[in-house]
Amino acid sequence: MGDVVGSFVDENEASRTLAPAAVGSQVLLMAGVSLVTIVVFNVLRPKNKIVYEPKVKYHVGEKKPPKMSDGHFGWLPPLIHTKEPELLDKVGLDAVAFLRFLRMLRWLFTAIAILACGTLLPVNIVYNLKNVKPGSRDVLSMLTLRDVSGSVLFVHVAATYVFTFLVLFFVWVNWRRMVQLRRAWFRSPEYMESFYARTLMVLKVPRKYHSDEGIRGILESVQVPYPATSVHVGRRVGRLPELIEFHNNAVRELECALVRYLRGGKIGARRPTLTKGGFLGIGGKKYDAIDFYTNKVKRCEAAIEAYRDEIDTRKAENYGFASMAAVPFAHVVARMLHGKKPRGAVVTLAPNPRDIIWQNLNKSDAKIASKKMLGWVYLLVVCFCNTLPLLVVSFLANLASLTAYVGFLSAWSDRSHGTFAVISGVLPPAVGALFGWFLPVVMRWLSRFQGATTRSRLDRSVVARYFAFLVVSQLLIFTLIGVIINSVKEIVAQIGKGASFQTIISNMDRLPDTINRTYIDQANYWLTFFPATLYMTRRDLSPEEQARRASHSAGLITAEILRSLRHPGCP
């Protein structure tokens, strides 16, 4: 038993030197990876503008982005000097709100960091140097309040109030600015001239009102102050969405054939061809690719027009749209009917047609209720399965604590302290990021399955659910696992000292202190987790988008290397 206690003491001493080395290795790794990423971007951007500056060529109307020079840092002046009013016109309100939110976080955490580094860190360091033995502290623990006690804690209490005030102040300032931006967007020519801005969307229309006149009657039943200029009930479109997607794919194929034929602005010697039929490249009939895809596009357009001509004869759905004479009229009516259900229908402002998930508009209440219940069951199962890897991450984050009990870990730590520190600093956040990669994608699919009617609503649902999952899993369950590990360590140490069962039970009153120390000790893990997570923000993209960007990056890097080898010294 004495050997166990000795190992326990040695493990504590090793962990005090391991934690700073683990955090430092992760910081250095992510700093190096970020620096390499920035350098590669600056090298590739000037020669691949169609990839990194597509809006310069393919902008909508007058929304051409600010001009960038061809220098390696030519993207910095537009980034610094482009102001919010111009951004609002170029990229829209949603993008501006996201950028303002990031800017708010930047200045908020900068202010908190300045106050914490200027007041709390000196207080903690001075207290540790005066009152904590050198063998019981390390570089990181001296910066925290882990071993701080007494009246000095009132400094931390006061700082907590200051930090809370800073959060409220920054939110208030940016909230006021967002109200101004929202009003400016609603008064902008783009919004005032858009058709959907003066349109109302009517959902959950009862069966007897499934007609144009029925929807008009619903609005007239509540005596809206402004009459609708046009009313249209939704109708079953059949294969029309499939035909539109088929048409879009045909257009993309035609564009690819034209790019091959007109590469570099010069007409090719041969027109591109393709082969249809045959087996494993044997046989089949050869066609002119441009003519083939042109005819394909024409056939799709004819089929789409035929479907649209028959749309009025198809069965009506339980939703519709009513257009007003002006945008303010639509807003007044929408506010008037907010929270009300005239004739059982729900009336709201119509979103942008590109934002609507059309397949979910015609779902009945019973079907949506059943899908929501089933979706919540699926979500609970997925979240439960995703918490299991937290056991792995927690054990990896506490590798130093396990060296006293796992032989090969102790031998590894003794033979190569540096590699052990690097792995314990890099591996836990990497595993956590890997297992957390697919969860937002699954949540988005489940929100769509449960009947979300717009993509904006999907985004809000994913953010809310993912945030709740992170709070429960990372903040509570992950810390609970750490508390259990630390409690077991203390019990083992007490048993090694010959403590009785009654003594061990009586020491359970130290559990709150154990929880507090666990939260502070696991700050080392979060110091390694956040740099990796911030670098891997691209995991929030869809898998298809990630694959596309990865293939583009790999292709561009390969092309740049080949260009340098073929023409060394050429710009």
Side-chain angles (χ1 to χ4, degrees):
M1 187 62 69
D3 294 339
V4 174
V5 176
S7 300
F8 181 76
V9 173
D10 293 341
E11 170 264 316
N12 275 340
E13 293 177 354
S15 66
R16 283 192 289 272
T17 59
L18 178 68
V23 173
S25 63
Q26 173 70 353
V27 171
L28 290 176
L29 174 65
M30 298 314 303
V33 172
S34 301
L35 182 62
V36 170
T37 302
I38 293 174
V39 170
V40 171
F41 168 75
N42 285 324
V43 171
L44 294 178
R45 185 195 66 84
K47 300 176 182 178
N48 301 278
K49 292 187 176 182
I50 195 65
V51 175
Y52 294 103
E53 303 175 31
K55 294 296 183 181
V56 173
K57 184 174 182 180
Y58 301 110
H59 59 274
V60 179
E62 300 298 327
K63 295 186 177 183
K64 188 174 182 179
K67 187 176 181 180
M68 300 184 193
S69 66
D70 293 335
H72 291 306
F73 298 97
W75 54 276
L76 285 176
L79 179 66
I80 297 172
H81 300 297
T82 305
K83 303 303 180 183
E84 271 189 344
E86 184 178 358
L87 285 174
L88 186 64
D89 178 63
K90 303 290 186 184
V91 298
L93 182 61
D94 290 343
V96 170
F98 178 69
L99 294 174
R100 172 158 283 275
F101 176 73
L102 294 181
R103 195 180 303 117
M104 180 190 74
L105 294 182
R106 181 187 67 193
W107 290 115
L108 172 61
F109 289 126
T110 299
I112 291 177
I114 292 174
L115 290 175
C117 294
T119 57
L120 298 184
L121 293 190
V123 169
N124 295 339
I125 293 173
V126 171
Y127 184 91
N128 276 269
L129 291 175
K130 288 184 177 180
N131 301 283
V132 182
K133 297 179 180 179
S136 301
R137 65 177 189 246
D138 57 57
V139 175
L140 291 178
S141 68
M142 290 175 60
L143 304 178
T144 69
L145 52 73
R146 188 186 70 181
D147 301 313
V148 177
S149 60
S151 59
V152 179
L153 289 175
F154 284 105
V155 178
H156 292 269
V157 174
T160 302
Y161 281 99
V162 174
F163 295 158
T164 303
F165 171 77
L166 284 175
V167 172
L168 296 176
F169 174 75
F170 276 91
V171 170
W172 175 71
V173 170
N174 286 274
W175 187 274
R176 290 185 61 191
R177 181 55 183 159
M178 278 306 305
V179 171
Q180 297 172 0
L181 289 171
R182 183 179 172 88
R183 290 174 177 171
W185 166 251
F186 283 144
R187 293 188 178 101
S188 65
E190 179 181 356
Y191 183 81
M192 295 296 292
E193 295 172 3
S194 60
F195 183 74
Y196 75 89
R198 57 185 180 90
T199 302
L200 300 172
M201 183 168 66
V202 187
L203 302 174
K204 301 180 180 179
V205 178
R207 185 178 298 274
K208 62 180 179 179
Y209 296 107
H210 286 189
S211 64
D212 296 349
E213 294 303 320
I215 294 179
R216 188 184 296 274
I218 290 175
L219 296 177
E220 292 176 350
S221 67
V222 290
Q223 298 179 349
V224 294
Y226 306 105
T229 56
S230 63
V231 178
H232 298 282
V233 68
R235 297 188 179 275
R236 292 189 179 178
V237 293
R239 296 181 57 235
L240 184 58
E242 298 177 17
L243 287 173
I244 293 176
E245 182 64 25
F246 193 71
H247 171 267
N248 293 338
N249 291 334
V251 171
R252 281 190 284 268
E253 291 170 335
L254 176 59
E255 289 175 346
C256 291
L258 290 172
V259 167
R260 291 199 304 270
Y261 185 53
L262 303 174
R263 187 181 299 275
K266 298 179 181 180
I267 299 178
R270 287 185 173 183
R271 289 172 65 90
T273 60
L274 75 160
T275 303
K276 290 292 182 180
F279 178 72
L280 295 178
I282 302 174
K285 187 176 180 180
K286 186 175 291 187
Y287 296 91
D288 182 285
I290 297 177
D291 292 340
F292 180 85
Y293 291 126
T294 299
N295 294 331
K296 187 176 181 180
V297 170
K298 289 181 178 179
R299 290 195 303 270
C300 291
E301 291 175 348
I304 292 172
E305 288 300 323
Y307 252 83
R308 285 175 173 169
D309 291 339
E310 300 173 358
I311 198 72
D312 291 336
T313 63
R314 296 184 174 273
K315 184 177 179 180
E317 298 280 14
N318 63 345
Y319 65 89
F321 299 90
S323 299
M324 299 292 170
V327 173
F329 297 172
H331 280 248
V332 169
V333 175
R335 179 178 290 273
M336 172 183 171
L337 299 180
H338 178 69
K340 301 178 181 178
K341 291 187 176 181
R343 299 288 192 268
V346 177
V347 182
T348 62
L349 286 172
N352 192 314
R354 292 174 295 182
D355 191 39
I356 297 176
I357 303 174
W358 296 95
Q359 298 89 335
N360 289 342
L361 285 184
N362 60 350
K363 298 289 192 299
S364 64
D365 290 342
K367 193 168 185 178
I368 290 178
S370 64
K371 285 199 168 189
K372 280 187 175 181
M373 183 182 299
L374 191 59
W376 281 113
V377 173
Y378 289 157
L379 183 61
L380 290 176
V381 171
V382 170
C383 289
F384 174 77
C385 294
N386 208 60
T387 55
L388 296 180
L390 286 178
L391 292 171
V392 180
V393 175
S394 182
F395 281 115
L396 291 175
N398 291 276
L399 280 180
S401 302
L402 301 175
T403 54
Y405 317 107
V406 183
F408 81 92
L409 289 179
S410 178
W412 178 18
S413 178
D414 293 337
R415 285 197 309 268
S416 181
H417 191 73
T419 59
F420 189 82
V422 171
I423 294 300
S424 63
V426 174
L427 196 58
V431 173
L434 178 64
F435 281 105
W437 169 81
F438 74 96
L439 187 58
V441 179
V442 175
M443 286 182 171
R444 189 175 185 86
W445 178 86
L446 285 175
S447 298
R448 187 166 186 153
F449 173 80
Q450 290 179 306
T453 55
T454 62
R455 290 175 175 81
S456 300
R457 186 174 174 182
L458 285 182
D459 295 336
R460 293 193 296 269
S461 176
V462 170
V463 169
R465 295 178 181 183
Y466 192 51
F467 176 78
F469 171 79
L470 289 179
V471 169
V472 174
S473 63
Q474 302 284 356
L475 192 61
L476 299 181
I477 298 178
F478 182 76
T479 302
L480 180 61
I481 295 173
V483 169
I484 294 173
I485 293 176
N486 288 336
S487 299
V488 170
K489 285 167 50 180
E490 293 182 3
I491 292 174
V492 170
Q494 292 174 12
I495 293 175
K497 294 177 182 178
S500 64
F501 179 77
Q502 184 64 32
T503 302
I504 295 175
I505 295 299
S506 63
N507 287 334
M508 294 302 291
D509 61 346
R510 298 170 56 187
L511 184 61
D513 181 63
T514 302
I515 296 175
N516 178 59
R517 291 177 66 88
T518 300
Y519 269 107
I520 297 174
D521 289 340
Q522 287 186 344
N524 299 334
Y525 167 75
W526 299 116
L527 289 175
T528 61
F529 175 82
F530 284 118
T533 303
L534 291 174
Y535 179 78
M536 296 179 64
T537 49
R538 67 182 220 141
R539 74 181 184 176
D540 298 328
L541 302 171
S542 65
E544 296 81 4
E545 181 67 13
Q546 292 190 44
R548 187 182 68 82
R549 291 196 177 191
S551 63
H552 274 178
S553 300
L556 291 175
I557 293 173
T558 304
E560 187 66 24
I561 294 174
L562 293 176
R563 182 187 304 165
S564 301
L565 292 176
R566 291 173 182 171
H567 307 286
C570 294

